[in-house]
Amino acid sequence: MEQPIVLTRMLDHSKQITRDFVDIFSRNKISRIILAGSGSSYNAAYSAKYFMQKILRIQVDVQTAHSFTNYENVIDTETLVVGISQSGESTAAVNSIMKAIECGLPTIAVTSEEGSYITEHTHHVMIVPSGDEEAGATTKGYTATVLAFYLAALETARHLNLLKEEEYRSCYNSLTTTIESIPRAIKKADEWYEKNREELLQAKTLIVSGYGNNYGTALEAGLKFLETSRFPVSVYELEEFMHGPYNAIDESSYIFFIVPRGASKERALRLNEYFSTKTNHSYMVTQDDGSGDERNVSVSFHEDEDFTPIEYIVPLQVLFFRLAKDKQVDMKTVRYPDFHSFMNSKRRFE
């Protein structure tokens, strides 16, 4: 519920937040961006990728930080490498920046923590002012990171005269209206959960599917159900779900289809229609069409196709939080507190 406040504040301070990002484009010829992160950072990057490409008119690739560091070979000097870590402690994100610097590439760290480990390894930083995540699992930090990339693309495109003033203003107005839809999404998801609570508590596994920029939303939702309810979850891009995974569906399957407007919506509606005959637990998160179908989490979204990832993740945040609480999972307690130190995957401050 803090998300509208955090995101609106970011809109108000957009130029300050994105200053270093814009500066890199002012000083360098950039023809490609690599967004490198892990977990929610990767998912946020994926959700922002297509808008960034559209506005900046350059190639934007999303890679896991570990894969970029150890396996990426095709890099030229016009590539900007963005290392993303909300906590600023991810060793994989830091290593991706260090590799880029060794290759002579411009870099920027994107993090919520000023002065964190990752900021020590790059000259450019974009701070995402999302604040502490008191519930444990990332919620506002995720949507704030997605928005930070939208703003970085908008401010850079405006600086480079790739956007007219009216287009620039139109995007900001649409983002404002998108953020205003968040309380409606929370309320509707909360009501839907109450009606379907007993059914959801019976789930032993879960599938989440999305398309376009909301494949990132599906990845994030799946990750959070795994993190909080701690039971098996699979995530598939919509079309990929039809190439093999569908064979595993039976009457015990639980599926969430994320269905915003876009080129794949009709296909997603048809897929949900089909599997609704195979299981009673096939649900959609989608725009409220006034039909009153209580099987779906239907919300009066603003639904600007570019910005749907900010609003469509919210009902799923409510669901994973409520489900984990009813499963009596203490989300503030890390299940394996020695894991990151054993694997050296995060640097902890002493």
Side-chain angles (χ1 to χ4, degrees):
M1 295 181 72
E2 295 175 10
Q3 289 177 106
I5 298 169
V6 169
L7 301 182
T8 300
R9 188 182 300 129
M10 288 179 65
L11 285 181
D12 293 340
H13 296 89
S14 176
K15 286 182 170 56
Q16 178 184 343
I17 291 168
T18 63
R19 183 177 53 220
D20 275 22
F21 195 95
V22 174
D23 185 59
I24 290 173
F25 278 79
S26 299
R27 297 171 181 271
N28 302 272
K29 180 173 170 46
I30 303 295
S31 60
R32 181 191 185 196
I33 300 173
I34 295 177
L35 305 175
S38 304
S40 291
S41 295
Y42 176 93
N43 303 339
Y46 197 99
S47 291
K49 166 187 173 174
Y50 294 113
F51 179 73
M52 295 181 76
Q53 282 189 163
K54 173 183 171 181
I55 295 298
L56 294 173
R57 306 176 194 176
I58 59 175
Q59 182 66 34
V60 179
D61 296 326
V62 181
Q63 300 188 21
T64 63
H66 178 80
S67 294
F68 169 76
T69 302
N70 293 282
Y71 301 106
E72 178 63 41
N73 293 309
V74 183
I75 309 174
D76 62 49
T77 55
E78 295 181 3
T79 300
L80 167 63
V81 175
V82 184
I84 318 159
S85 171
Q86 186 182 349
S87 67
E89 296 180 353
S90 168
T91 55
V94 170
N95 289 340
S96 69
I97 285 178
M98 291 174 67
K99 172 179 177 171
I101 290 173
E102 288 173 5
C103 293
L105 308 180
T107 64
I108 184 168
V110 176
T111 180
S112 296
E113 298 296 330
E114 241 173 311
S116 59
Y117 181 45
I118 196 170
T119 66
E120 299 171 5
H121 292 81
T122 179
H123 295 299
H124 294 90
V125 177
M126 185 163 69
I127 298 296
V128 180
S130 55
D132 294 334
E133 298 279 3
E134 293 185 19
T138 300
T139 51
K140 59 184 178 177
Y142 174 77
T143 50
T145 302
V146 176
L147 179 59
F149 283 124
Y150 290 158
L151 298 180
L154 281 169
E155 295 296 345
T156 302
R158 189 71 190 99
H159 179 78
L160 298 176
N161 294 316
L162 298 173
L163 271 184
K164 295 179 180 177
E165 182 65 24
E166 56 267 30
E167 295 172 319
Y168 173 82
R169 289 293 162 206
S170 176
C171 285
Y172 270 84
N173 290 338
S174 189
L175 278 167
T176 298
T177 309
T178 297
I179 292 165
E180 288 171 351
S181 78
I182 289 176
R184 296 196 299 272
I186 294 171
K187 183 175 184 293
K188 196 64 181 281
D190 216 32
E191 292 170 352
W192 189 89
Y193 179 81
E194 282 300 320
K195 292 177 183 176
N196 295 275
R197 176 178 178 275
E198 296 305 320
E199 183 176 328
L200 291 173
L201 283 169
Q202 302 306 311
K204 303 300 182 188
T205 62
L206 180 66
I207 290 171
V208 187
S209 179
Y211 50 85
N213 50 6
N214 281 284
Y215 177 52
T217 306
L219 288 169
E220 176 64 8
L223 173 63
K224 287 305 183 296
F225 276 113
L226 277 166
E227 255 186 318
T228 57
S229 289
R230 299 172 183 176
F231 67 147
V233 182
S234 301
V235 180
Y236 299 101
E237 190 275 334
L238 181 75
E239 192 70 24
E240 293 306 301
F241 180 63
M242 305 181 206
H243 292 265
Y246 73 91
N247 286 289
I249 302 302
D250 61 22
E251 64 275 5
S252 67
S253 299
Y254 283 69
I255 315 170
F256 277 102
F257 293 107
I258 301 168
V259 189
R261 66 183 297 183
S264 300
K265 181 169 183 175
E266 291 304 315
R267 199 150 175 76
L269 292 172
R270 189 168 179 80
L271 190 61
N272 177 67
E273 180 184 358
Y274 181 84
F275 280 111
S276 292
T277 67
K278 310 303 177 187
T279 172
N280 290 325
H281 318 298
S282 183
Y283 317 108
M284 293 191 296
V285 179
T286 191
Q287 176 77 338
D288 189 352
D289 61 1
S291 67
D293 187 347
E294 295 187 352
R295 296 301 302 164
N296 301 321
V297 188
S298 302
V299 181
S300 296
F301 292 117
H302 171 53
E303 200 152 77
D304 181 320
E305 191 173 344
D306 287 326
F307 304 134
T308 49
I310 286 181
E311 53 189 358
Y312 267 75
I313 188 59
V314 174
L316 292 153
Q317 291 175 338
V318 173
L319 298 185
F320 76 65
F321 178 78
R322 292 292 304 275
L323 188 62
K325 283 196 73 174
D326 283 341
K327 284 176 170 285
Q328 299 183 328
V329 176
D330 182 356
M331 287 171 276
K332 292 184 180 181
T333 301
V334 178
R335 189 169 193 176
Y336 301 112
D338 63 339
F339 178 79
H340 286 301
S341 59
F342 184 85
M343 293 303 301
N344 192 30
S345 50
K346 285 192 178 181
R347 174 193 182 266
R348 298 286 181 182
F349 291 98
E350 297 178 358

